[in-house]
Amino acid sequence: MQPNTVVHAATIDLDRAPVPADQSLDGAPTTAVHPVTELAGLEVGVWEMTPGQMSDVEAEEVFVVLAGSATVAFADDSPTLHLQVGDVVRLAAGAETVWTVTETLRKVYLTGL
């Protein structure tokens, strides 16, 4: 992405792929990621997951929920997050999570390179 341009994150076309079998816990979720730009040592992009459940190990990340709803549960017994449109979330690197998406979730994320 060049300076002084716009990307419509809510409607950008994404190429989805099935969640790997070792991460898929329920349903047949798919995910997609589209890096948009780099800024000051951060990657900025769009990520999406369709309904279902998957496990993951997180990167240090901040994101804003653009669409959908989900919960994120943590293996370390941190409180479960209930995500909705407009939420701003920070995840810690190495956090072991279980994502349960009830309505296709799309987010804009910032993470270290």
Side-chain angles (χ1 to χ4, degrees), residues 17-108:
V19 170
D22 63 333
Q23 289 181 269
S24 185
L25 302 175
D26 187 37
T30 62
T31 59
V33 64
H34 181 86
V36 173
T37 194
E38 294 177 10
L39 177 67
L42 296 173
E43 177 180 281
V44 180
V46 177
W47 181 87
E48 185 173 273
M49 180 177 162
T50 61
Q53 189 176 61
M54 69 174 276
S55 63
D56 201 10
V57 177
E58 301 303 328
E60 187 79 19
E61 175 183 357
V62 172
F63 65 85
V64 178
V65 177
L66 296 179
S69 59
T71 60
V72 181
F74 297 88
D76 70 358
D77 294 325
S78 292
T80 297
L81 305 178
H82 298 272
L83 307 181
Q84 299 177 12
V85 173
D87 288 344
V88 178
V89 180
R90 182 174 177 181
L91 298 175
E96 296 178 17
T97 57
V98 173
W99 290 71
T100 304
V101 172
T102 52
E103 181 183 348
T104 298
L105 188 84
R106 183 175 283 216
K107 65 183 185 179
V108 171

